[in-house]
Amino acid sequence: MTPASAVPDVEAPESLRHWTDLIRDWKASSSSTHLIPVGGCSKPGLSRVNSAESAASEPVSTQRYSTRNLSGILQYDPSEFTISVASGTPLEEIMAALSENGQTLPFDPPRAPLGATIGGCVASGWSGPGRWRYGGLRDFILAASFLDGLGNEVHTGAPVVKNAAGFDFPKLMVGSLGRLGVLTRLTFKVFPQSVEPNTWVVRCGDLASAALHMQTLTRLPVELDAIELCQPGMTDLHNWSIVLRVPGPEAVAESIMDRVQRNVGEAEVRRLSEDHAEKSWSKLLHVEGEVSVRIPMTPRQIETVVQTFPSELSEMGWRMHFGLAGNVLFVTGAGDLQVLNSWLIEHGLAGLVLNAGDASTHGTQIGMWRHDEVVVRVAKAIDPHRCFAPLLFGEPLHTKRLEA
């Protein structure tokens, strides 16, 4: 995977004023090229032109600009458990500052070592394994400032934990992929770091047992920081395995794992060494590969997904794991996305491309995306001249009913 420092072709306006001028000049020129703001380019698949757009009669072109010069911690008071940062601030810098005070963003922002920025994290909408216990990005963002399609800076939300004023715009920016505006400033609530967490693996043998045990574990009245399901070859060479992150201190962890052991029957439960645990979580958190795709789903779909997954891709070495106790599927491999795209459409699933090979002709959004009228109307209001690349949506349901 390519770190941000190795992507020299992405220009970066020097300041907020330069960003404003860029957008206003873009609007004035009525250019047919769309602007896509990026952060550290740690998830390059998210800034691709969507396939439905590129197939149009007039080819859609885009140009990327990085927010990496909008960087720095703007306000942080550990006693208030909130932090405000510029959108281009590297995640590693933020996590290091929080760690000095025993605090963290517990939803495990992915790809920090690869140069990911906090703005790119919000725009991707991608929360890590910690979302299982603590909630995701949407639960921690308090305020967001952004430049709209007219070059105006819009301030939304408030830097306080309890705020119920107006439309919750900051949450709308989570997963917006840079298609609604250029994020400039973000505020989050933070949590104390988990105490001495350790990693355990439940070796389940076949998929049916693994799915059943995982369903059991999600219903136990115990606090597990993370629950991930891995196919053979990831954490264990031959078995489907459930990877658990268990909070400390040691006495609490032992009590939790005693209860887990009693509920998984004869399945082998073992604790991973620190080194093995670090490597396992790195794989599960960063999802590295020439091609990597994130696919929301439900735990009930696990067995169907595995049984129907294209054999052509499996034979080419494509891998999968289920995050958040089966609520999201990650697929990695190499080559074109056409087979995966067709499979997603067949099963009514939508995929977000985190990485795509150079030969791929598909864009950021593949599979079957549903219509979102709220986002469509908001986009028209804040970007009337379509300065930013558009999101891809399915056909409105009311249109289908009229045609029927």
Side-chain angles (χ1 to χ4, degrees):
M1 189 165 295
T2 306
S5 58
V7 189
D9 61 327
V10 180
E11 294 183 42
E14 295 179 9
S15 66
L16 184 60
R17 180 64 192 172
H18 285 88
W19 268 106
T20 300
D21 291 342
L22 173 68
I23 294 172
R24 288 177 178 170
D25 290 345
W26 207 291
K27 177 179 76 74
S29 68
S30 299
S31 173
S32 59
T33 300
H34 294 292
L35 186 157
I36 297 183
V38 299
C41 297
S42 63
K43 301 173 280 290
L46 299 183
S47 56
R48 295 172 66 88
V49 178
N50 282 318
S51 54
E53 299 165 278
S54 60
S57 55
E58 295 183 10
V60 174
S61 60
T62 60
Q63 191 167 342
R64 298 182 299 167
Y65 288 87
S66 173
T67 59
R68 61 178 178 267
N69 289 330
L70 303 180
S71 181
I73 296 174
L74 306 175
Q75 186 175 0
Y76 175 39
D77 182 353
S79 65
E80 294 292 333
F81 286 85
T82 61
I83 186 170
S84 296
V85 294
S87 63
T89 310
L91 281 168
E92 282 196 318
E93 180 181 330
I94 297 169
M95 299 304 280
L98 292 173
S99 182
E100 289 178 4
N101 294 282
Q103 296 177 339
T104 189
L105 294 171
F107 52 84
D108 292 335
R111 299 195 177 179
L114 302 176
T117 65
I118 189 65
C121 182
V122 171
S124 72
W126 180 13
S127 301
R131 177 181 174 181
W132 171 253
R133 177 181 179 186
Y134 298 101
L137 256 164
R138 288 171 56 86
D139 301 298
F140 286 85
I141 189 168
L142 300 174
S145 298
F146 66 93
L147 294 173
D148 65 13
L150 301 176
N152 301 316
E153 188 171 22
V154 181
H155 303 284
T156 65
V160 292
V161 174
K162 290 188 177 181
N163 176 44
F167 182 73
D168 201 348
F169 227 113
K171 287 182 172 55
L172 188 68
M173 302 307 287
V174 175
S176 62
L177 305 178
R179 267 61 168 184
L180 296 180
V182 181
L183 292 168
T184 58
R185 176 180 175 132
L186 299 159
T187 301
F188 298 86
K189 63 181 178 182
V190 300
F191 270 19
Q193 289 177 323
S194 185
V195 179
E196 302 172 5
N198 47 67
T199 302
W200 293 74
V201 170
V202 182
R203 298 175 62 187
C204 303
D206 59 27
L207 174 63
S209 298
L212 181 62
H213 290 325
M214 188 168 68
Q215 187 180 49
T216 299
L217 294 178
T218 62
R219 295 174 178 174
L220 290 181
V222 296
E223 298 274 354
L224 294 168
D225 280 0
I227 305 176
E228 307 276 304
L229 176 61
C230 301
Q231 70 175 150
M234 290 193 68
T235 301
D236 185 272
L237 190 59
H238 304 292
N239 296 278
W240 280 90
S241 302
I242 304 170
V243 183
L244 306 174
R245 189 164 67 206
V246 185
E250 195 68 30
V252 173
E254 287 179 3
S255 173
I256 290 174
M257 290 313 300
D258 283 345
R259 189 153 194 167
V260 168
Q261 181 69 79
R262 290 197 302 271
N263 281 273
V264 297
E266 298 180 359
E268 179 187 347
V269 179
R270 62 187 177 92
R271 181 175 177 175
L272 295 187
S273 67
E274 225 174 276
D275 183 57
H276 191 179
E278 185 177 345
K279 290 178 180 176
S280 295
W281 286 117
S282 179
K283 281 184 190 176
L284 299 173
L285 177 59
H286 304 311
V287 196
E288 299 183 47
E290 179 184 319
V291 174
S292 55
V293 182
R294 179 181 179 273
I295 305 163
M297 53 173 288
T298 66
R300 291 185 178 183
Q301 295 173 290
I302 290 176
E303 293 190 57
T304 300
V305 163
V306 174
Q307 290 165 3
T308 64
F309 192 74
S311 58
E312 178 182 339
L313 297 181
S314 298
E315 290 167 4
M316 291 170 59
W318 284 55
R319 311 290 296 171
M320 69 172 71
H321 89 264
F322 298 91
L324 307 178
N327 286 285
V328 62
L329 166 67
F330 292 97
V331 178
T332 58
D336 191 62
L337 288 160
Q338 181 56 50
V339 175
L340 182 64
N341 182 55
S342 299
W343 177 76
L344 290 173
I345 292 172
E346 179 183 349
H347 293 276
L349 297 171
L352 197 61
V353 179
L354 306 171
N355 291 80
D358 294 335
S360 177
T361 57
H362 288 78
T364 295
Q365 297 168 264
I366 62 173
M368 185 174 290
W369 285 77
R370 286 162 178 77
H371 187 75
D372 191 326
E373 188 65 23
V374 171
V375 177
V376 169
R377 295 192 180 197
V378 169
K380 286 180 179 178
I382 64 178
D383 186 20
H385 302 289
R386 296 190 68 185
C387 172
F388 304 109
L391 288 159
L392 177 66
F393 292 112
E395 193 176 347
L397 291 177
H398 67 83
T399 301
K400 291 183 178 180
R401 284 197 294 267
L402 286 173
E403 290 177 352

